[in-house]
Amino acid sequence: MTVELYEEIKTAFEDISFDPLGSIRAEIVLKRAKKKLGKEKQTEDNRLLMYCIDTMFDILNERNEEKIHDFAHTVNNIPEIMMGKRNFYSFSGEIEAFRKKYGEKYFSTFNVVKPRFSKYAPKNSWQYFLPNADHSFKVQHPVAYGWLRAVGVIVLLLPMIVYMVVCFMNPYVWDNGVVMLGYAGSIMIGIGLFNVMAAFVHQYLGHKMTIICLGGGSFLIVLTYVLFRFVI
């Protein structure tokens, strides 16, 4: 799927929102988009967008102008998730309002915590480092947020702790600065594992980040072992 098609879907939802019972062109765009989505690899993002399109047509068939407007207004910016501009939890307010008004059968998996993995970091990834970046998820899943935060801290620190314990069991390693190579590697592994945990709050920084951190960190630790075992 191209960014241009996501923009078209976004515009189609907006057109339906402004003209609930007369946006024939918008319906054609959504039908074409649905066919293309059906040919794509099924991901959480694709399934979400397909759900929005299918539900839009179901509600259009009800001919309830207010409901059509409300749903189109709720989902019109959801294609921005696929464009890397927003994450699912940033829509919690709009979705919760629609569910409260029309029933919890809509977005039935809304309260299920699901990880979102992507090949590349989204365009809005810089926002993940802001103080309130987790606010939407925290409000929607306060208990899960507490557990995920705790597990995130554990996986971040555990590789460093394990490495330090192993080093203290072999005190002679501190006689050489090479030990810091392995320590840097343990930090990288912790960051890689933390990135995987971040997928559960939809703040994953991409497979490239995970591979570099886990692979690079492991390489540094192995290199440190080889240097101490066979060189130093």
Side-chain angles (χ1 to χ4, degrees):
M1 295 284 282
T2 63
V3 173
E4 289 76 16
L5 186 56
Y6 290 134
E7 289 283 5
E8 287 184 20
I9 295 172
K10 185 174 182 291
T11 301
F13 284 137
E14 290 172 348
D15 290 344
I16 293 173
S17 176
F18 285 117
D19 188 8
L21 297 177
S23 300
I24 305 302
R25 179 185 174 281
E27 293 181 35
I28 293 173
V29 170
L30 292 180
K31 287 179 181 178
R32 179 164 57 89
K34 181 181 176 180
K35 287 183 180 179
K36 290 192 175 184
L37 279 170
K39 298 176 182 178
E40 295 283 326
K41 179 182 177 181
Q42 289 302 298
T43 64
E44 286 297 324
D45 287 349
N46 279 5
R47 282 190 282 269
L48 173 61
L49 197 51
M50 185 75 82
Y51 171 80
C52 291
I53 293 173
D54 286 340
T55 305
M56 185 77 266
F57 281 119
D58 289 342
I59 294 175
L60 281 168
N61 289 334
E62 294 178 18
R63 310 301 290 175
N64 182 328
E65 188 169 346
E66 181 180 1
K67 189 175 182 181
I68 293 170
H69 168 271
D70 289 347
F71 186 78
H73 180 71
T74 297
V75 303
N76 70 334
N77 287 320
I78 280 183
E80 292 186 358
I81 297 175
M82 299 76 200
M83 295 159 65
K85 295 181 179 180
R86 293 177 64 175
N87 66 37
F88 179 70
Y89 294 111
S90 66
F91 292 94
S92 58
E94 298 99 308
I95 292 174
E96 189 58 52
F98 186 85
R99 280 160 53 87
K100 184 178 290 187
K101 186 173 182 179
Y102 295 104
E104 295 188 359
K105 68 176 182 178
Y106 296 101
F107 294 98
S108 58
T109 62
F110 177 62
N111 290 317
V112 177
V113 178
K114 288 185 177 181
R116 178 187 183 272
F117 296 98
S118 57
K119 189 174 183 180
Y120 302 104
K123 295 178 181 178
N124 69 328
S125 57
W126 62 271
Q127 297 178 6
Y128 299 167
F129 301 95
L130 298 177
N132 62 344
D134 301 332
H135 180 70
S136 296
F137 181 87
K138 184 178 179 180
V139 170
Q140 186 176 340
H141 303 289
V143 176
Y145 177 78
W147 280 104
L148 288 172
R149 188 173 182 178
V151 174
V153 172
I154 290 171
V155 300
L156 177 64
L157 299 179
L158 187 60
M160 289 178 274
I161 293 172
V162 171
Y163 181 79
M164 294 293 287
V165 168
V166 172
C167 287
F168 279 117
M169 292 172 63
N170 301 276
Y172 69 91
V173 301
W174 297 106
D175 296 335
N176 196 295
V178 172
V179 69
M180 298 309 295
L181 275 178
Y183 184 66
S186 69
I187 294 174
M188 291 178 66
I189 291 175
I191 293 173
L193 294 174
F194 187 84
N195 189 39
V196 173
M197 290 302 304
F200 286 89
V201 293
H202 295 192
Q203 294 185 6
Y204 187 66
L205 294 176
H207 294 329
K208 188 175 182 180
M209 175 74 167
T210 301
I211 292 170
I212 289 174
C213 289
L214 295 181
S218 299
F219 171 77
L220 289 178
I221 290 177
V222 171
L223 178 61
T224 301
Y225 172 77
V226 170
L227 289 174
F228 275 112
R229 182 70 175 81
F230 301 105
V231 180
I232 299 173

